[in-house]
Amino acid sequence: RNLHPVENMPDYGADIAQRNADACLRLMLADPIKRKLGALIAYVQYGIDLYYMILDGQTWPAGGGHRPGQKLPLAFAAAMLDQPGMRRVVSNATFFHEDNLLYRSGKSELVLFGTDRGYRPKPLEDRYWQAVFDYANKGETSGFKAYRDPYGYIDGGYVPGSGYQYCCISQPWKGEALACRLMPSLKKLWNNEAFFEYVERWVTFGTWSQPDPCAPADTTWSGYGVTFGPDGKGGCIRDTDTTDGIGRFPRRHGAEADGGGRYSEFQAAMWDAYRNHPGTSPGE
């Protein structure tokens, strides 16, 4: 981020991702090719530059809201040029932001938000609960804001549907997903069906936080492993208080549908016009 030429590109990764999706979708409109040829050449060149950065060791892993948006221009250039090396990289790489903040839960088979990576060496369970506890009791967390639910029931983060999931990721991903839906060769190169499943769920339903048997964070850390957190058997301490619903965040289920920062009116209009168009099936 400190190396960005601030007069010529956005400072923050999520803003770059929004711009990149806007640009790709803009190129798909039906105006004459000569009117957008300059932008097309620049966008494809961007993809070429990303490809050679990767060959030189560059990656864009999870990184909260810092690193989304690079996979789309690379995939677009690979599709337009039909270059075998570029196609292999975009299809086989596991280091893109879009491939590292989602996982398919073994509990429900749903695609949930969150990652087991982070900034501290403690086990995921401890890191996750520390972030949840701090936010519940202090209104802030100094830890990573996108830890996955260690039990695989709900969206991750200190509160599902907030933090990076809301501010910086889900809306730019929506634009990327739509571009791939409209250009099947892009979707094939993307090679991550979980990504598209998540975006569809976020847009049509929102946050996932039910069913969840786990007790919410208590008001004192001394309750960790006693009234909330790990049960010592590989699971969580169960919630038995039904007065506010069962689970850590029962009221967040279905919250923020199609919400989030970095919202693009253009992408929203394109989604509304074309996502459910007869020529765009759920599988394409």
Side-chain angles (χ1 to χ4, degrees):
R1 188 175 182 181
N2 291 335
L3 297 175
H4 291 176
V6 294
E7 295 181 5
N8 294 284
M9 68 183 290
D11 174 51
Y12 191 50
D15 296 313
I16 294 170
Q18 179 187 348
R19 178 203 64 177
N20 290 354
D22 276 346
C24 191
L25 289 168
R26 175 64 185 86
L27 291 171
M28 294 180 181
L29 298 185
D31 48 325
I33 187 66
K34 65 180 180 181
R35 291 184 57 189
K36 54 190 176 186
L37 185 60
L40 175 62
I41 291 171
Y43 201 74
V44 170
Q45 182 62 57
Y46 182 16
I48 294 171
D49 293 345
L50 293 172
Y51 173 58
Y52 281 94
M53 289 168 68
I54 290 168
L55 296 186
D56 211 27
Q58 177 67 45
T59 62
W60 293 273
H66 286 284
R67 301 185 183 111
Q70 309 306 321
K71 189 174 182 178
L72 182 60
L74 174 58
F76 185 85
M80 294 295 289
L81 300 175
D82 196 23
Q83 206 276 349
M86 296 176 74
R87 293 175 66 90
R88 282 194 300 272
V89 164
V90 74
S91 293
N92 298 333
T94 59
F95 52 71
F96 283 107
H97 177 277
E98 291 81 353
D99 301 324
N100 282 282
L101 277 165
L102 299 171
Y103 70 103
R104 191 176 299 280
S105 169
K107 292 281 195 320
S108 63
E109 289 303 309
L110 288 170
V111 176
L112 298 175
F113 173 80
T115 178
D116 57 2
R117 304 180 185 187
Y119 302 138
R120 293 183 284 182
K122 296 179 182 179
L124 170 65
E125 201 169 25
D126 294 343
R127 289 177 282 159
Y128 168 83
W129 277 112
Q130 186 69 65
V132 169
F133 174 85
D134 286 350
Y135 191 80
N137 291 282
K138 304 174 186 177
E140 61 182 17
T141 177
S142 59
F144 187 52
K145 298 176 178 64
Y147 289 126
R148 61 186 276 183
D149 171 16
Y151 314 109
Y153 292 110
I154 66 176
D155 283 336
Y158 53 85
V159 175
S162 63
Y164 290 128
Q165 186 181 13
Y166 183 86
C167 78
C168 315
I169 293 172
S170 295
Q171 283 298 326
W173 281 1
K174 175 185 175 181
E176 291 181 304
L178 179 60
C180 290
R181 294 284 191 189
L182 297 178
M183 188 172 173
S185 57
L186 280 185
K187 188 171 184 292
K188 183 177 181 181
L189 285 172
W190 202 269
N191 194 29
N192 183 359
E193 187 60 34
F195 175 81
F196 301 103
E197 289 183 29
Y198 170 81
V199 170
E200 292 290 325
R201 186 258 286 180
W202 180 264
V203 173
T204 60
F205 182 80
T207 305
W208 197 266
S209 69
Q210 288 284 293
D212 174 27
C214 303
D218 210 337
T219 56
T220 61
W221 188 250
S222 61
Y224 185 59
V226 181
T227 58
F228 75 98
D231 63 3
K233 303 174 184 178
C236 62
I237 292 172
R238 299 298 174 113
D239 187 8
T240 58
D241 181 1
T242 62
T243 59
D244 57 353
I246 294 295
R248 286 160 283 182
F249 306 96
R251 296 179 182 176
R252 296 295 293 169
H253 195 54
E256 313 299 355
D258 199 24
R262 275 72 187 187
Y263 184 89
S264 165
E265 295 285 354
F266 173 58
Q267 291 174 32
M270 289 287 284
W271 183 282
D272 292 344
Y274 297 114
R275 172 61 192 92
N276 295 310
H277 190 276
T280 308
S281 72
E284 295 184 355

